[in-house]
Amino acid sequence: MPQVSPERLLAVAAAAEASGLEELWLWEDCFWAGGIATAATVLARTERVRVGIGVMPVPLRNVALTAMEVAALLRLHPGRVIPGFGHGVQDWMGQIGARVESPMTLLREQLSALRGLLNGEKISAAGRYVRLDNVALDWPPTTPPPITAAATGPQTLRLSGELADATILTSRTTPDGVRAARARIEEGRVKAARTAPHRVIVNLLTATGPDAAERLTAAQQRNSGEHPPEAGVAGDAQAIADAVRRYAEAGADTVVLEPTDDDPDLIEFVRFAGAEVRPLMS
């Protein structure tokens, strides 16, 4: 969670690496630590675990800068970076003077330009928000990453299916919500005649240990927007593994266990996820 101070990330990264987790996901929320800086730190201190950034708000950066930073991470740590992009929270974008009239148009233009730049292409664009004049990266990634977009509403889900290779869903998503999201994503894929697999990544609010059920309920109530009670799990490793299976059966390819923001021992949570929950999924 973004509330974790940057200096604690080294211990979190070590726990993720040691516990056997495949991926560790970081957040970039205003006005916490930056996603690129924290991801670079975790990657430099680990050797195996993949690091996701879920997600970088596109109004926050010029698309060329985003491409430069992501490309540098990918060249330094090939195959271990999963960069995610999204609209950003509009109130926060307003606070920094970056709120736009059409977030959908901005996301469309940025995703299109990012794909080209990360593919090593020279891009010119004269869009509503993205303007590039023969821009190309001197150090593009040797292997371009899948473009990953965060989405909740039907329009953004369709856009992700059309332009992205993967979609990130929030922890307010139920298994039925995953099925509905898959349907909207598929509409976008059909529109763009895309046939390659599209990965769906969903966050699952998770509590374990003493008072897990109470902490889960409290976290759901604190969560911004309506948080369905069934979008979350509290209990032991088996209960959590069963919940992950429900999401997988609904169409999720990756389930990210999201601790509550008051989890009493984050390092133990990471260890528990890798050492106790993960083996139950094989």
Side-chain angles (χ1 to χ4, degrees):
M1 297 289 284
Q3 293 88 345
V4 177
S5 61
E7 57 269 24
R8 294 184 63 201
L9 283 177
L10 298 182
V12 172
E17 182 95 336
S19 70
L21 283 175
E22 284 97 345
E23 297 177 3
L24 176 65
W25 281 81
L26 307 177
W27 289 33
E28 180 171 84
D29 267 357
C30 295
F31 299 96
W32 309 93
I36 294 291
T38 52
T41 300
V42 170
L43 288 161
R45 290 298 189 98
T46 55
E47 297 181 356
R48 179 193 53 76
V49 68
R50 295 188 296 273
V51 177
I53 308 174
V55 295
M56 292 175 274
V58 296
L60 199 58
R61 294 182 182 83
N62 182 283
V63 67
L65 176 61
T66 302
M68 290 162 57
E69 292 183 321
V70 169
L73 285 183
L74 288 162
R75 290 185 70 99
L76 288 164
H77 308 283
R80 295 183 56 211
V81 186
I82 310 166
F85 311 98
H87 291 304
V89 177
Q90 295 307 298
D91 287 346
W92 291 339
M93 298 304 100
Q95 279 185 271
I96 61 172
R99 188 167 187 166
V100 298
E101 186 176 346
S102 177
M104 286 293 297
T105 301
L106 173 61
L107 185 60
R108 173 179 290 278
E109 291 180 359
Q110 284 238 7
L111 292 179
S112 298
L114 275 168
R115 183 179 295 280
L117 290 169
L118 294 174
N119 281 344
E121 301 170 11
K122 182 176 288 187
I123 302 298
S124 291
R128 184 173 179 181
Y129 301 111
V130 173
R131 296 178 178 86
L132 301 172
D133 183 10
N134 290 320
V135 175
L137 298 178
D138 287 307
W139 294 107
T142 53
T143 301
I147 298 296
T148 303
T152 53
Q155 290 187 65
T156 310
L157 288 164
R158 292 186 189 100
L159 180 67
S160 184
E162 180 184 348
L163 295 181
D165 306 298
T167 300
I168 302 172
L169 305 177
T170 75
S171 61
R172 294 190 297 275
T173 309
T174 65
D176 283 344
V178 172
R179 294 183 181 93
R182 273 282 186 196
R184 302 291 84 75
I185 290 166
E186 187 59 27
E187 291 171 5
R189 282 163 47 80
V190 169
K191 176 182 178 181
R194 304 196 68 186
T195 57
H198 187 103
R199 182 184 181 196
V200 170
I201 303 156
V202 61
N203 289 280
L204 176 61
L205 190 60
T206 304
T208 191
D211 304 320
E214 292 80 0
R215 287 192 292 106
L216 176 67
T217 299
Q220 290 170 328
Q221 293 172 348
R222 288 192 300 271
N223 206 338
S224 58
E226 183 179 352
H227 196 127
E230 62 270 29
V233 59
D236 61 9
Q238 188 62 61
I240 294 167
D242 290 344
V244 171
R245 286 193 186 88
R246 289 195 292 273
Y247 277 85
E249 290 166 359
D253 299 292
T254 297
V255 178
V256 181
L257 301 186
E258 179 185 313
T260 62
D261 55 12
D262 62 352
D263 189 278
D265 189 341
L266 182 60
I267 304 304
E268 173 57 24
F269 180 91
V270 173
R271 186 210 63 78
F272 166 81
E276 299 188 37
V277 179
R278 181 180 175 276
L280 297 176
M281 304 310 305
S282 58

